[in-house]
Amino acid sequence: MITKNAFEIKRYEFNADLLYSINSNHYVNGLWPLVYIISNESTKEAYVGETTDAISRMSNHLKNDIKSKLTAIHLITSDKFNKSATLDIESNLIKYLSGDGQFKLLNANIGLANHTYYQKSEVYWDIFQTIWRELRPEGIAKKTLDQINNSDLFKYSPYKSLTPEQKISIIEIIKSLLDEPTKSIVVEGGAGTGKTILAIYLFKILSSDIADFNFKEFGKEEAELIELVNKLKTVYPSPKMALVVPMSSFRTTLQKVFKNIRGLSAKMVIGPAEVANSEYDILIVDESHRLRKRVNLGAYFGAFDKANEKLGLDKMNTNELDWIVVQGKKKIFFYDENQSIKPSDVDKSAFENLKSKQETTIKTLKSQFRVKGGNGYVAYVDQLLNCSFKKTDPIFEVKDYEFLIFESLQEMIEKIKSRDAEFGLSRLVAGYSWEWVSKNKDEHDILIDGIKLKWNSVSMDWVNSENSINEVGCIHTTQGYDLNFTGVIFGNEISYDKAQNQIVIKKENYFDTLGKQSIKNPDELKAYIINIYKTIMLRGIRGTYVYVCDEHLRAYLKERIKNTTIEKTIKILPLNEVKPYVNCVPLYDLWAAAGAFSDSQTVSDFEWIALPEQYQANSDYFVCKVQGDSMNKKIPNNSWCLFKKDPGGSREGKIVLVEHHNIHDVDFGSGYTVKMYHSEKEIDQDGHWSHQSIVLKPLSDRSDYSDIVLHQDDLTSLKVVGVFVAVLE
């Protein structure tokens, strides 16, 4: 384990006295590689850098018109640092501070990233994690790394390393932007190939000073890219540009992302109808397959017709794709024909016509960027839904991806909640096979085997909404978003004909009214519904679970998806097999826990649990059974949970097991409770902080659980026994 002593974080005022103040620092004098964060708490701006010559670098920063307005600097130093390590820590700090959202970074981009060096994963990632924990009480960082990894601000940040394919694509797109005859660029790529990341990265390049960029991550293409970007900025020194996003929910999400990135603004992310208001130098269209034509538009008919009127176009014979072609001098379309899901989507033939023009350049993204199952999983889903397997083809199974079919919906729901507690962002998603009756009244929409469920209660940013773990999302609230695990419910609108070996659609069971009106050809509806299931099956980064309502489709999919009956993960070992912390960890009973966490106990004092293979037993781990509903949004009642002994540092926002003589929790027994930790702090004039109170918060869908508040006088008796790791069963 890496301790705080492996490095030092020291704060200085960032002003004219800085050079004198840091001159006595051993690492500064010795020209050691170090990392620094300069910030301004008032303006919420920060800059991250690394150097071996801190005096010279700080002198330059103090002379810089922008950076000189920053007010404080934190030097991060260690005798374990080398140049590669500081470059990597710098990159990670830029990446995670951007995702944290507390400061807007003055850095133009991430610079060096993804380079390999000695002990990178064995030592320096642990050091970075510990540095991050120490930066939180310093006020530089706010969220945990796990919270940031699951945030949209992090996922769609331009401060990210690009894949080799994406780097080549950036170069090719810039070349096309510089090519005068080229008017449109169509970038084709399936779900999860990183199209949105490329779009935002391009915006950041065009809105930042090239002097602040570091393109070393492009390797041998670095010189070429610098030359191209210089030319691009000469042609477009201050381009009028916008990111067009057809889906309102995803558009709102990206507006929040742009708002938190220096040089970008929420106003740069617009809907298709707004394109009619102005001409643009560059228009970038994400999710182009969801651009619309004048079919089944509902309340949007009025805005659609008004936009055509502004542009002087015939509303009956034009679509949103036409608006963009007219209004943009250069257009970049990120497109996937397999994610078109409604008859209101622009026809594939319109894009084929665009691609056939001499003034259009076509690029292709092939590498799967989201799903850990890789391109193999994507191809398998395509074969699965198009019934194109041979009898000899094996069932898809890879080590890093869970693809399972469930016999019991209840078991799948419990598994999704367990995964959400462990990784976050795990959700149920279904085909549109049930009416949405709960929209205007307090009723359930979905009834399956006695289980009552509701559709998503909000349409904007549903995957991140408070109660989403207890609801079911649809294609309209999940398309464009990443999840860690997806529980896909195949409804009664989709079945299987064994004799014909093909998917069949039951139109009467499909309840997306605007999704089926005007469709006369049943094959067209089938194509849309298959695209819907294909799209939601490619949301899960770590895994996809499947439950099927229709018995014929269930029988077919069970032949092609690994079946699970939820193998029991808890195994209590007999004493003769126990090798403490080698093949097992102790089980503590919270109802009889007096003294249970004492180091003086013997092997026979408690039972020993063998952990699932993804966890390696060690002396920091222990297992408890968590009872009651006070944490049921994260931990189902009667769950066996893995905890890790409290490592110290910030516990803000973590689920913890605590001991205190004033706690009387009916769920857990006298003196103990499992709750989410929140600290109210006070900072004195010298910048030192102390706890004023600790609030232990339930995470329950029941309203009869209250916060447990421990004030300053109570805190000396508070003991954080462990930090929640995962639900095991």
Side-chain angles (χ1 to χ4, degrees), residues 610-657:
L611 295 179
E613 62 179 16
Q614 64 263 41
Y615 301 104
Q616 185 172 352
N618 65 63
S619 59
D620 287 334
Y621 279 157
F622 62 90
V623 173
C624 290
K625 190 171 187 179
V626 176
Q627 296 176 294
D629 288 320
S630 69
M631 295 297 292
N632 66 11
K633 286 187 176 181
K634 290 290 185 181
I635 305 174
N637 184 20
N638 287 321
S639 295
W640 297 85
C641 295
L642 180 64
F643 289 85
K644 187 175 186 178
K645 291 180 182 177
D646 179 41
S650 175
R651 307 175 184 108
E652 182 63 33
K654 295 181 179 178
I655 296 174
V656 294
L657 166 61

Side-chain angles (χ1 to χ4, degrees), residues 22 81 172-173 341-342 355 364 596 627 633 656 664 687 717:
I22 65 174
F81 284 177
E172 291 181 345
I173 290 170
I341 55 132
K342 297 177 76 171
K355 290 191 291 183
T364 304
Q627 296 176 294
K633 286 187 176 181
V656 294
H664 300 280
S717 301

